[in-house]
Structures are given as C-alpha cells and as structure tokens.
Amino acid sequence: MKPDTIRKVAIVGYNRIPFARANTAYSNVGNKEMMTAALNGLIDKYELKGKLLGEVAGGAVIKHTYDNNLIRECVMQTSLDPATPACDLQQACDTGIESAIYIANKIALGQIESGIAGGVDSISDMPIAVSEKLRKILLDARKAKSLGEKIKLFLKLRPKDLSPLVPKNEESQTGLSMGGHTEITAKHYKISREDQDQFALKSHLNMAKAYDEGFFDDMITPFNGLEKDNNLRKDSTIEKLAKLNPAFDKVNGTLTAGNSTPLTDGASCILLASEEWAKEQGLPILAYISFAEIAAIEYVKNQQNLLLAPLFAASRMLEKAGLNLQDFDYYEIHEAFAAQVLATLKIWESPELSESIGLKKALGAIDRNKLNVKGSSLAAAHPFAATGGRIIGVMAKLLNEKGSGKGFISICAAGGQGVTMIIEK
C-alpha cells in the first residue's frame, strides 16, 4: 500500500458497559476490570475470539501507577490473539475519540487492517497519594541501612504529613474546576438556568425513550450487576430540576447536579476496519469516519473559554470537508454541562459572538430536533475517556439504521481542547 493512498475507514462494531455514578455499582472494580469487560463484550458480539487485530488503543484519564500499560494488559485478559499490540493514549475527555482517530489513521494509511479504540475511567477507584514529605521519607527509608536510621527518618513526620492527597478536580492553570469555568461561561453568554434545566430534561427523556424502544439492547454488555446507566432519571421533571441548589457558585450560580454531568465510572470501545477486512470477516459496515479535527483554545485569561475549543475544530473541519453545519442528519454534542452545549449553539448562531471569539464566520443554527436524539452525557453520565466510544457507537448505529446520511460529533475536554468528527453512511 502506497503511503499516499487513503483508504476508507469503516465503523464495524461497538460495545460498552453501563455507566455508573461514582461509588455505586462499580465501587469495587477498577479500570482494568471495566475495560476488559467492554472488550470481551465486543469480542463475543463480533466473533473476534482468537483474531489477530492490527492494534488496540485507548486509555484512562484517572490512573493508578499499576495501570501502567493498561490497554495491553486488558488485551491480554481477553480472548484476542495475544500477539495483538496495544497502546495507551490520554487527552482528557477526548481520549476515546482521539483513540479512534489514531486507529482510523493507521487503517487509512494501510498500516493495519483492523483495530479497536476505547476508553475507561474509574472515579470510585481514584488513586490517593501521600504528602511530598512522607514520600521522600519513605524513599529514604528504603535505603536506610539500619532500623535506627529508619526510625530517625520517621520521627521527622508530623500529623499533617500523614494526610492523604486526593486528586483535585480542577484546572492546574487556573485552580478552577470544570464546573467553575462553565459557570463563568454561562454568565458570559447569558445562558439561563431555565434553559439549562430544559436541555438536561430532554437528554434524560430522549435516553429513557431510547431504552424503552430497545435502541441500546445490542450496544451494552451488563457488568457487575448493572444492565443500564444508573444516572438516567426516567422520572425527571422540570419541577424536580428547578429545586436543585447551585453546585459551583452557591450564591449566583445556575449550574446544578441536574444540568451537569456527575463523576462516573465506565468503559466503551468500537471496532474499526478497512472495507476489505470487514467483508472478509462477514461483518457489517455501519458507517465510515471521513473527517476529524482537534483544536485548543486559550482559557486562562479568558476563563469562559475552557470547553469551547470544538468551535474552532468544527470550523476547520467543515471547511476541509466542504460542508455547512446544516448538512447533517444527526448531531452528537457531548453534554459535559448543559450550559456548555447551549453556549456553543448560541455562538454558532451569532455573527457577533463568533467574531468576538475569533471565528472566521458564524456557522449558523442547527435543527435541534436532530441533536442528541438518544440522549447524551447528561443522562448517561460521563466516564471521561469512555464518552468518545459511546458517542461514536450511537452515531454509527443511527446512520446505519437510517441507511444513509451524515453525522456531526463534537466533544470538549479539559485543558481547553476539543475534537470534532464527521461520520457518513
């Protein structure tokens, strides 16, 4: 295969385990168990037992030191040919979709014929560190030649040195949490509490309807006693959402636990391949990945920007594809927060706001009836690295069921980054 020959990349399969709010159904399992379960479900569904794949790529945002070489370790616990290579990637909430781009590029260039992309995160099994002083004393104690030397070292410790260090849910550049930044976004773009709650309610109602209709029946492998996403609230109402207190700005905030995604555990994966490989294996071609773009944005001085990088990724991607934002049958925009999605839509619709943020032009309004039609992150919840696989799987199934069309995907991430993708049938 010549390196300048670009092949079509087919989405052949999808699988995930149900997503669970942190410290609930998966409180006693970690990244390795969850990712392996998602992979095993995919392998069983598409009869991949014993198969040698080109590569498996994925990762986790929250990892223990013993999660080193995580994806390869997971592959070794499945029934795939153990000669299947694997690698870890990490790009905050973009991890799952960036892993798909990595595998897709290798297929497009003829380097591999097939591969799996995925992601996993366990907040319940979050690593806890020790203080820097205790860490240094522990290391020095390992080198001490006598018990007396070790005792001298440990006598230097004070009670405060024994306090555990839990990872902070904040941007190191600003000291603000993602929710804190999005509160600023909501105020800056005048996104109302009512609109956020209505948007969140629709996500839950859409996902509840999709479950009732059986849309997710072939997409999810039960795990650890859970068969459905346990964040989904079928009985959610606008009245219930309106009663929730602000979660970040306790005085003047509009973001609540109802219109923001909770900390979550879960794993997902998708099977990608060349057309030739898929046909040889007798597997369906659900859709194709045709374009993808990643972008980043300055968010330290302009703190309202943290989750708005996909605006730039979308503009560049659509220009390369020769498409307008309105040329799609479905839109999947990751719902980290209702306010972040609503701000994105508002900027697209406004020439003034688009110009103010640095875009060449306003991309215009979309038909919101085509947006997140099966519910999204506000209902399913958001295990950081697993969201990309979930969204790609949903979009591929939507297009395959329709039989034709185009799908637009947008995922924002910590660190002021974001990815967009076009999927076609």
Side-chain angles (χ1 to χ4, degrees):
M1 181 68 64
K2 295 180 180 179
D4 60 347
T5 301
I6 304 300
R7 302 189 300 177
K8 296 178 75 173
V9 178
I11 302 170
V12 176
Y14 41 67
N15 192 60
R16 68 179 178 94
I17 59 174
F19 292 172
R21 293 173 73 98
N23 302 311
T24 60
Y26 304 156
S27 59
N28 296 316
V29 296
N31 287 330
K32 191 178 296 183
E33 293 91 342
M34 290 192 295
M35 191 72 242
T36 301
L39 289 170
N40 279 330
L42 187 80
I43 291 163
D44 291 344
K45 191 182 302 182
Y46 299 100
E47 299 181 352
L48 300 176
K49 184 177 181 179
K51 298 284 187 185
L52 175 62
L53 302 187
E55 191 167 5
V56 180
V61 177
I62 309 295
K63 293 173 70 172
H64 286 272
T65 54
Y66 56 69
D67 280 334
N68 182 46
N69 213 15
L70 172 64
I71 302 302
R72 172 61 178 163
E73 292 296 320
C74 293
V75 167
M76 290 299 291
Q77 293 185 14
T78 71
S79 58
L80 286 175
D81 187 322
T84 300
C87 75
D88 283 24
L89 301 174
Q90 200 263 64
Q91 196 179 70
C93 309
D94 289 339
T95 298
I97 192 169
E98 186 71 353
S99 298
I101 294 168
Y102 171 88
I103 293 293
N105 284 342
K106 286 196 169 188
I107 293 170
L109 292 173
Q111 296 173 358
I112 61 175
E113 295 297 321
S114 61
I116 296 173
V120 59
D121 262 298
S122 173
I123 303 301
S124 300
D125 190 33
M126 184 178 291
I128 297 176
V130 299
S131 68
E132 184 64 14
K133 186 174 180 180
L134 177 56
R135 187 185 73 86
K136 289 180 178 178
I137 286 175
L138 288 171
L139 291 173
D140 289 341
R142 292 176 63 190
K143 297 180 287 185
K145 295 179 180 180
S146 69
L147 179 60
E149 288 182 19
K150 290 183 179 182
I151 292 173
K152 281 185 179 180
L153 287 168
F154 286 117
L155 286 174
K156 296 178 182 179
L157 290 171
R158 297 293 177 265
K160 66 177 183 180
D161 301 324
L162 302 178
S163 297
L165 301 178
V166 178
K168 294 180 180 179
N169 181 25
E170 64 182 35
E171 297 291 326
S172 61
Q173 299 289 323
T174 64
L176 292 172
S177 68
M178 196 175 290
H181 273 278
T182 308
E183 272 288 7
I184 298 171
T185 303
K187 292 180 174 67
H188 185 87
Y189 290 104
K190 297 179 174 61
I191 308 299
S192 72
R193 165 73 183 268
E194 293 73 21
D195 286 347
Q196 292 175 57
D197 286 349
Q198 286 285 358
F199 189 86
L201 178 63
K202 188 172 183 180
S203 184
H204 282 273
L205 295 179
N206 282 352
M207 182 160 281
K209 184 170 184 279
Y211 264 112
D212 290 342
E213 293 172 348
F215 181 83
F216 296 114
D217 286 355
D218 71 337
M219 305 189 79
I220 298 176
T221 298
F223 177 65
N224 219 43
L226 196 62
E227 296 185 353
K228 296 182 178 181
D229 307 304
N230 71 7
N231 183 64
L232 175 63
R233 297 290 179 264
K234 285 190 172 185
D235 60 350
S236 184
T237 66
I238 199 67
E239 290 77 19
K240 289 180 181 179
L241 288 169
K243 292 178 181 178
L244 297 174
N245 293 323
F248 302 99
D249 178 350
K250 306 293 186 181
V251 179
N252 299 308
T254 56
L255 273 68
T256 70
N259 57 41
S260 310
T261 51
L263 296 173
T264 317
D265 306 332
S268 70
C269 53
I270 59 169
L271 177 61
L272 303 177
S274 65
E275 291 180 296
E276 295 78 12
W277 188 89
K279 290 173 182 175
E280 286 172 4
Q281 305 301 317
L283 293 173
I285 294 176
L286 305 173
Y288 297 93
I289 296 175
S290 56
F291 288 87
E293 188 81 21
I294 186 162
I297 192 170
E298 195 288 318
Y299 67 93
V300 179
K301 293 181 180 177
N302 299 289
Q303 295 183 345
Q304 73 277 6
N305 283 350
L306 181 70
L307 300 182
L308 300 182
L311 290 164
F312 293 87
S315 293
R316 296 202 294 257
M317 181 181 72
L318 292 172
E319 186 173 352
K320 291 175 183 177
L323 294 170
N324 295 314
L325 185 60
Q326 294 71 34
D327 294 338
F328 295 89
D329 298 271
Y330 301 106
Y331 303 84
E332 282 287 329
I333 301 179
H334 163 46
E335 300 167 347
F337 303 89
Q340 148 258 324
V341 181
L342 292 171
T344 295
L345 297 175
K346 190 170 186 177
I347 294 167
W348 276 341
E349 294 169 4
S350 167
E352 294 77 20
L353 291 177
S354 295
E355 182 181 1
S356 71
I357 202 172
L359 296 171
K360 292 181 181 178
K361 63 177 182 179
L363 296 183
I366 65 170
D367 181 349
R368 296 197 187 187
N369 291 319
K370 298 177 180 180
L371 172 62
N372 298 349
V373 296
K374 302 300 180 182
S376 194
S377 305
L378 285 167
H382 173 43
F384 304 127
T387 288
R390 178 188 66 77
I391 285 178
I392 291 172
V394 167
M395 182 63 81
K397 182 169 183 176
L398 284 170
L399 292 173
N400 185 55
E401 287 187 343
K402 185 176 183 296
S404 64
K406 296 181 178 66
F408 173 97
I409 290 173
S410 172
I411 299 179
C412 59
Q417 299 192 99
V419 176
T420 55
M421 179 180 282
I422 295 173
I423 295 178
E424 302 185 50
K425 175 71 174 180

